[in-house]
Amino acid sequence: MNTRRPMVAGNWKMYGSHAANAALVEGLREGLASLGAATDAVDTLVCPPFVYLAAVAGQLGDSGVAVGAQNLCAETGQGAYTGEIAGQMLREVGCSHVIVGHSERRALYGENDELVARKYAAALATGLTPILCVGETLQERDAGSTSAVVARQVDAVIAHCGVAALGRGLIAYEPVWAIGTGRTATPTQAQEVHAFIRGRIAEHDAIIAGSLRVLYGGSVKAGNARELFAMPDVDGGLVGGASLKAEEFVAIVAAAAV
Ligand code: PGA
């Protein structure tokens, strides 16, 4: 038993429309309300595409579900950065959190450790809580380099922002081979890497390592959430596909509440 408050976060990726989002939010509101006081023990968050953030924040209203973005610009303030969105802008439309370094951004949009660390710093500088995603590819796991890869990704943020900055965000361990594949890490595999991440940070600061929330991501669904969340170093989940179905997401929140 640990004292960290679990979080269940939905990463909607590039899915949705005004109509689909409204229906999803309605389903979330109803489903979470039906869980009653159980949800008080869990932080809930959804991360829609940029253009829907304000509308979704408005629809969620007083539901207790927070809103986050999936990415932000490494630059803060305003400026000539065509196509980019600054942290302050995300705050203004209702975001409290932002995902940084998701593996899809690393793999498809060339985000390297240094850029991810700069984005992490930009999030904190603009009053957002960053959720730092780390994780190895299947090839890296098979080569036995999971620890080395995850350590490198975490260390880059510590080097750029300092260990205290990690205490102001969350980490999501998302093995790339488990994302959108239906192939979840076993609870034991997840626990092993979560404990490694915590240990790595403890080398710098044991108190931060002990209080930092480390979420698991990669094919989390209602059917496997409970056993994953039961692991001592798994503090909730970052959920992709299953976060687009209200019933599934609500069931995952319920699994985090036990
Ligand atoms: P998934 O995605 O739950 O669809 O595997 C997780 C993520 O990419 O955050």
Side-chain angles (χ1 to χ4, degrees), residues 25-122:
V25 169
E26 186 57 28
L28 290 177
R29 291 193 63 129
E30 278 171 21
L32 292 172
S34 75
L35 294 181
T39 58
D40 293 351
V42 184
D43 284 340
T44 51
L45 171 75
V46 294
C47 302
F50 285 134
V51 293
Y52 299 123
L53 287 168
V56 169
Q59 285 154 358
L60 284 167
D62 62 358
S63 65
V65 180
V67 177
Q70 300 170 18
N71 183 28
L72 85 169
C73 183
E75 306 294 336
T76 57
Q78 311 216 347
Y81 301 104
T82 302
E84 291 290 291
I85 313 278
Q88 293 92 327
M89 298 172 181
L90 298 175
R91 290 268 296 160
E92 197 174 20
V93 297
C95 291
S96 54
H97 292 70
V98 61
I99 297 169
V100 298
H102 189 279
S103 64
E104 285 152 18
R105 298 221 51 91
R106 292 179 190 259
L108 304 173
Y109 301 100
E111 293 195 11
N112 59 21
D113 291 332
E114 197 240 321
L115 180 60
V116 171
R118 288 176 52 224
K119 290 189 174 194
Y120 190 99

Side-chain angles (χ1 to χ4, degrees), residues 86-253:
Q88 293 92 327
M89 298 172 181
L90 298 175
R91 290 268 296 160
E92 197 174 20
V93 297
C95 291
S96 54
H97 292 70
V98 61
I99 297 169
V100 298
H102 189 279
S103 64
E104 285 152 18
R105 298 221 51 91
R106 292 179 190 259
L108 304 173
Y109 301 100
E111 293 195 11
N112 59 21
D113 291 332
E114 197 240 321
L115 180 60
V116 171
R118 288 176 52 224
K119 290 189 174 194
Y120 190 99
L124 288 181
T126 54
L128 291 163
T129 300
I131 301 174
L132 170 69
C133 297
V134 299
E136 81 289 359
T137 63
L138 187 56
Q139 205 180 9
E140 288 164 339
R141 173 162 284 261
D142 288 345
S145 47
T146 297
S147 305
V149 169
V150 169
R152 192 199 73 222
Q153 292 169 334
V154 170
D155 289 354
V157 175
I158 297 177
H160 185 80
C161 310
V163 69
L166 276 190
R168 296 166 60 200
L170 293 89
I171 290 183
Y173 168 56
E174 299 206 307
V176 179
W177 47 272
I179 295 178
T181 57
R183 189 181 155 188
T184 323
T186 64
T188 311
Q189 283 174 322
Q191 169 58 26
E192 207 170 73
V193 182
H194 283 231
F196 171 78
I197 292 169
R198 216 178 283 291
R200 187 85 184 175
I201 296 163
E203 289 173 23
H204 297 265
D205 191 312
I207 294 177
I208 289 174
S211 60
L212 176 70
R213 290 180 290 177
V214 184
L215 312 181
Y216 169 78
S219 299
V220 175
K221 25 186 192 288
N224 59 25
R226 195 171 293 245
E227 54 175 10
L228 285 162
F229 299 166
M231 292 288 121
D233 286 295
V234 178
D235 306 315
L238 178 55
V239 185
S243 73
L244 298 169
K245 297 178 205 129
E247 212 176 301
E248 276 279 309
F249 191 75
V250 169
I252 295 168
V253 173

